[in-house]
Amino acid sequence: MTLKLAVYSAKSYDRTYLDSVLASDHADLCSITYHPFPLSLETVPLAQGSTAVCAFVNDTLDAPVLRTLHSIGVRAILLRCAGFNNVDLPVAEELGLFVANVPSYSPEAVAEFTIALLQTLNRNIHRAYNRVREGNFNLEGFLGITLYGKTVGIIGVGRIGLALAKIVRGFGCRLIASDPKPGLSPEEFRDGYGGEFVDLDTLLKEADIVSLHCPLTRGTKHIISTENLGKMKRGALLVNTSRGSLVDTKAAIEALKSGQLGGLALDVYEEEGAWFYNDHSQEIIHDDTLMRLMTFPNALVCGHQAFFTREALTEIAATTLANLEDWLAQRPCKNSLVREGHLVVPEGKEPVRI
């Protein structure tokens, strides 16, 4: 009997790339049923008859959902994303569920989008686009800064942070970075990327631009807080393409109002689960914080699209199905977070429930 995989929060592009990779590289591995609805306690019954489910960043995989999934026969949780803060991993361990993620995919895609956000914010490209369409070619209010010679601070130097470091170096920026457990030595970072490791306080104090590329853990939730915003250079720019809860949004709004923060570009948002990836253009969005944020001319919000390239979607689909194949074949899976009833989360990336 062919294993059945239920894919939640499925969009047309998920179907396209999963079906393509399944047909070309994993023939007869499974049959896939796609559900456009997010995974929640109410939608768990859609997984009836499936041995595995595939979830995305804003699906709910808390204790009640995991226990219900297990009760109907689901034994594997495949995350088609890197983050796993939406999964109650200790409960998955207790139930003996297999959980695996896609820890890295096309880091260049996210790094490139980070630069796109930064320059759009810095040079007011989004505002210029709308102004010119109305026949207004006035440049008032569009004054930006030249990146050359500025100090860019990267918080988190995993694969995405390092991909950004390469791009930033090409702009002629001074590069500093902070990471409690970097995967390379200070000498390697200096020689390979032209950068310097500093502590977080030094980075916040010296950077003209701060870009977030760390995972969401107990130690990094609201790493951009009122206190840390106050340590930043007045007028500095902040970009977040990692996880929404790295930034205390209300604190960031206050920093924008006071001028302490010169600009804010977000591809992620603390409460994005209720809104992102769906069309709410015909509704009233009942999120006063998000709506307030979008009134600022120096704030830019996108809908978690930094990963959204053909190359990244191909890699996500390939890794997701390879994780499933490893589990079915009972062979070690390098991307597993829970296997054989044991939690195997990488050190320093402890599960956090937000």
Side-chain angles (χ1 to χ4, degrees):
M1 180 182 296
T2 303
L3 178 142
K4 293 183 179 180
L5 171 65
V7 177
Y8 282 86
S9 296
K11 302 296 185 184
S12 61
Y13 44 84
D14 295 308
R15 179 188 295 268
T16 296
Y17 286 90
L18 282 168
D19 282 352
S20 175
V21 172
L22 182 65
S24 62
D25 301 332
H26 300 276
D28 302 322
L29 173 65
C30 64
S31 64
I32 303 178
T33 301
Y34 295 96
H35 303 295
F37 314 102
L39 177 57
S40 66
L41 198 56
E42 290 72 27
T43 61
V44 163
L46 294 172
Q48 187 74 47
S50 299
T51 306
V53 297
C54 181
F56 198 46
V57 291
N58 293 323
D59 289 314
T60 301
L61 289 145
D62 58 13
V65 168
L66 291 177
R67 294 189 191 282
T68 307
L69 284 171
H70 185 269
S71 72
I72 63 174
V74 171
R75 294 295 180 265
I77 309 292
L78 305 171
L79 302 173
R80 57 184 190 279
C81 54
F84 47 86
N85 54 283
N86 57 332
V87 187
D88 193 324
L89 291 177
V91 170
E93 178 183 31
E94 171 195 329
L95 295 171
L97 294 170
F98 170 81
V99 183
N101 68 339
V102 183
S104 179
Y105 44 88
S106 191
E108 292 78 15
V110 180
E112 290 168 8
F113 193 79
T114 300
I115 291 295
L117 278 181
L118 170 60
Q119 283 294 63
T120 300
L121 178 69
N122 172 36
R123 303 303 295 272
N124 290 284
I125 298 169
H126 55 310
R127 297 175 61 206
Y129 172 80
N130 289 324
R131 186 180 291 185
V132 167
R133 284 171 63 86
E134 295 175 353
N136 183 350
F137 299 89
N138 190 346
L139 299 183
E140 295 289 345
F142 289 169
L143 192 64
I145 62 172
T146 301
L147 291 189
Y148 181 85
K150 298 300 186 294
T151 298
V152 174
I154 298 176
I155 300 178
V157 287
R159 291 180 62 188
I160 295 172
L162 291 178
L164 179 65
K166 290 181 180 178
I167 299 173
V168 165
R169 186 178 185 182
F171 276 91
C173 298
R174 175 190 173 219
L175 174 62
I176 57 177
S178 177
D179 193 317
K181 295 182 179 179
L184 69 173
S185 68
E187 294 75 22
E188 290 172 325
F189 190 50
R190 181 193 64 222
D191 296 341
Y193 300 88
E196 174 189 1
F197 284 130
V198 297
D199 59 59
L200 181 60
D201 283 355
T202 300
L203 183 147
L204 295 171
K205 179 182 177 182
E206 297 185 3
D208 300 292
I209 297 138
V210 175
S211 190
L212 304 178
H213 298 284
C214 49
L216 178 60
T217 68
R218 297 184 190 282
T220 62
K221 182 184 178 184
H222 286 180
I223 192 170
I224 301 301
S225 59
T226 297
E227 179 183 0
N228 282 341
L229 284 163
K231 296 175 183 177
M232 293 174 66
K233 277 187 177 182
R234 185 170 180 82
L237 304 179
L238 174 65
V239 183
N240 185 13
T241 54
S242 186
R243 284 292 178 264
S245 290
L246 297 176
V247 176
D248 182 336
T249 312
K250 291 182 178 179
I253 287 174
E254 291 303 313
L256 286 169
K257 287 168 63 178
S258 69
Q260 172 62 18
L261 192 58
L264 175 65
L266 301 177
D267 186 49
V268 289
Y269 169 61
E270 286 188 273
E271 304 299 329
E272 70 177 60
W275 310 109
F276 283 20
Y277 296 112
N278 293 299
D279 181 2
H280 300 282
S281 60
Q282 304 301 314
E283 307 170 25
I284 295 174
I285 295 180
H286 296 283
D287 186 324
D288 292 346
T289 301
L290 179 59
M291 292 297 98
R292 179 70 179 96
L293 184 64
M294 292 197 292
T295 65
F296 289 92
N298 56 340
L300 179 61
V301 180
C302 290
H304 207 147
Q305 71 178 81
F307 76 99
F308 201 55
T309 66
R310 296 182 181 91
E311 294 80 4
L313 288 173
T314 299
E315 192 170 350
I316 289 168
T319 303
T320 298
L321 292 175
N323 290 343
L324 177 61
E325 190 169 66
D326 285 343
W327 176 68
L328 282 174
Q330 297 184 328
R331 57 180 178 243
C333 175
K334 64 180 180 179
N335 302 318
S336 57
L337 300 168
V338 181
R339 65 169 179 260
E340 297 176 356
H342 298 290
L343 197 62
V344 288
V345 177
E347 185 179 358
K349 297 185 178 180
E350 301 83 2
V352 55
R353 298 292 303 146
I354 301 301

